[in-house]
Amino acid sequence: MEDGAVFKQNINRRHTASEKWDQADKLFGGNDLLPLWVADMDFAVPKAVTQALTERVRHGVYGYTFRTETYLNAVRKWMSERHDWTVDTKWICHSPGVVTALNLIIDALTKPGDKLLIQPPVYPPFSKTAKNQQRDLVLNPLVYQNGRYHIDFDDLKNKLSDPAVKLMLLCSPHNPVGRVWEKQELLRIATLARENHVLVVADEIHSDLVLPGHRHLPFASIAPDDYWIVCMAPSKTFNLAGLQMSTIFIANPELREKYQKQLQRFSLAEPNTLGLTAAEAAFLHGSEWLDQCLVTIQRNAEYVSNYLKSECPSLVMTPLEGTYLAWIDCRRLGLSDSGLKRMLVEDAHLALNPGVTFGSEGSGFVRMNLACPLSTIRQAMNQLHKAVDQLHQRKAIRK
């Protein structure tokens, strides 16, 4: 049995080589900032994961390893039980991380000068990987309407009809806007992609982090053929990002062979010994922990949304359907992106992701990590409230 107290516990992560906590001041140019930026959790992992790692560490030998049938079946079991998706274990490929997989996929399955489509504002490595591989970007910006994001399907149809567009990177659930795409939306994407022979690569790393009232559908489960790649990982779900273990599903044998060759080419085919142990334990025994984690994320999201409405009405949080990342509209403050960042760092003493880093479509927004104890959220909201009040006071004086 999991103890729900783990989601209330303030674990000191400073001086543990934590990128989130130990690099925030340096990266944001502040001093003693409260870090709510990079997407990892401040929660201890499931007990079963700690126990499995402890036993493996006690063995004392950490040589080369491989993905066992037990691990592969644990992945298959998780997908069946959590997503009602039946997978064949031969589809399951390895990668240290989803971003690594995206680079390998783009390198293996497209060529320089090919066009890749993304839907900004979106996770920054989508555009970075394309540029790293000398591929041209095509943008199908999401439409922000009545406080919710939608796909512009007329624009998508037009963009996918370009023969030079070979691949679409789909973020599902979407980071940073928090949308969980509905079945009809995914079906329309699948139809357009099939008609234009565009490969859909779905980054579904937040697939397990979906709040009540919404359901994640693996893109592959509704696609009419096997011309897709789905990227998942236990890293976001169970806070295992540092153990470098991701799961890439490729049903198409030709695509899978090309991807596997890239893994071998860069010597990335062997999993991390402890990452394998942790992932297997999480998939087999982490369901109850995840359920409690989702309750915490929902509570934190409701707290932030309600707090902003009552105390900082000039800021508006987009309704959160999936992920643990709040997307907050700050445009009513009337600040430039640099001015907004300066206010957050110097006045609020917060490290939040600037929205503009997700594309120009994110200008005026910020992304806030909700995967932490409610006490941390309360502290962040109090600091933000004071900073916004100071801003309004300065504006009033200037008038």
Side-chain angles (χ1 to χ4, degrees), residues 135-355:
R135 274 51 165 180
D136 296 330
L137 275 177
V138 173
L139 306 183
N140 170 230
L142 299 180
V143 177
Y144 187 54
Q145 189 174 43
N146 298 323
R148 192 169 186 257
Y149 282 87
H150 305 270
I151 295 172
D152 184 341
F153 278 102
D154 290 337
D155 182 65
L156 180 62
K157 180 179 180 179
N158 180 55
K159 299 286 177 60
L160 290 182
S161 68
D162 181 352
V165 175
K166 302 298 185 183
L167 186 150
M168 174 180 177
L169 291 177
L170 174 67
C171 197
S172 177
H174 194 283
N175 170 18
V177 308
R179 273 298 315 277
V180 174
W181 303 119
E182 297 172 2
K183 185 175 182 178
Q184 289 306 313
E185 292 172 309
L186 294 172
L187 284 171
R188 291 182 72 179
I189 292 172
T191 299
L192 290 171
R194 179 181 59 175
E195 289 174 350
N196 294 284
H197 201 63
V198 172
L199 174 65
V200 176
V201 179
D203 176 355
E204 302 187 8
I205 198 169
H206 291 98
S207 58
D208 296 315
L209 299 159
V210 173
L211 300 185
H214 305 278
R215 182 191 171 199
H216 171 77
L217 291 171
F219 183 81
S221 70
I222 57 92
D225 52 34
D226 64 357
Y227 201 61
W228 47 260
I229 296 176
V230 169
C231 304
M232 294 182 175
S235 54
K236 300 298 184 215
T237 305
F238 300 107
N239 204 26
L240 303 176
L243 292 178
Q244 301 291 293
M245 194 77 184
S246 295
T247 307
I248 314 302
F249 297 92
I250 311 177
N252 184 297
E254 182 181 352
L255 297 180
R256 188 167 63 246
E257 181 180 2
K258 289 180 178 179
Y259 175 78
Q260 299 281 29
K261 284 183 178 179
Q262 287 296 93
L263 279 178
Q264 296 290 345
R265 178 187 172 197
F266 293 102
S267 301
L268 294 170
E270 294 173 343
N272 177 298
T273 301
L274 297 183
L276 180 69
T277 298
E280 181 180 312
F283 285 135
L284 289 175
H285 308 293
S287 189
E288 182 184 346
W289 182 95
L290 176 58
D291 290 340
Q292 293 185 35
C293 182
L294 289 171
V295 170
T296 301
I297 292 168
Q298 183 181 32
R299 178 198 63 198
N300 289 354
E302 290 173 350
Y303 181 89
V304 170
S305 180
N306 292 334
Y307 187 98
L308 294 179
K309 288 176 182 176
S310 63
E311 305 297 332
C312 296
S314 53
L315 307 183
V316 180
M317 176 180 158
T318 302
L320 187 65
E321 300 174 359
T323 81
Y324 51 74
L325 305 164
W327 185 240
I328 301 173
D329 186 350
C330 306
R331 291 176 296 176
R332 293 181 189 175
L333 296 178
L335 298 172
S336 64
D337 288 306
S338 59
L340 177 58
K341 180 180 178 181
R342 187 165 54 250
M343 183 202 77
L344 291 170
V345 170
E346 297 179 3
D347 298 333
H349 302 289
L350 295 175
L352 307 180
N353 292 102

Side-chain angles (χ1 to χ4, degrees), residues 4-80:
V6 70
F7 301 106
K8 300 177 182 178
Q9 183 181 2
N10 285 292
I11 300 173
N12 185 1
R13 297 184 61 191
R14 294 195 185 276
H15 311 299
T16 62
S18 164
E19 181 179 8
K20 180 179 182 180
W21 284 84
D22 293 332
Q23 290 286 86
D25 287 355
K26 177 181 177 181
L27 295 174
F28 287 82
N31 183 31
D32 198 26
L33 301 179
L34 182 61
L36 295 167
W37 59 294
V38 68
D40 72 9
M41 301 180 180
D42 288 335
F43 306 136
V45 301
K47 290 180 180 178
V49 172
T50 300
Q51 291 169 355
L53 287 172
T54 300
E55 291 175 9
R56 186 65 184 86
V57 167
R58 283 175 178 163
H59 181 261
V61 180
Y62 318 116
Y64 297 116
T65 190
F66 65 97
R67 297 175 310 139
T68 64
E69 285 300 317
T70 304
Y71 165 76
L72 295 174
N73 285 324
V75 174
R76 182 171 61 179
K77 180 174 183 288
W78 182 263
M79 296 306 160
S80 175

Side-chain angles (χ1 to χ4, degrees), residues 102-122:
L102 296 181
N103 277 281
L104 295 173
I105 291 164
I106 291 170
D107 190 31
L109 303 178
T110 65
K111 62 183 185 297
D114 284 347
K115 296 179 180 179
L116 313 181
L117 184 141
I118 64 174
Q119 297 174 304
V122 72

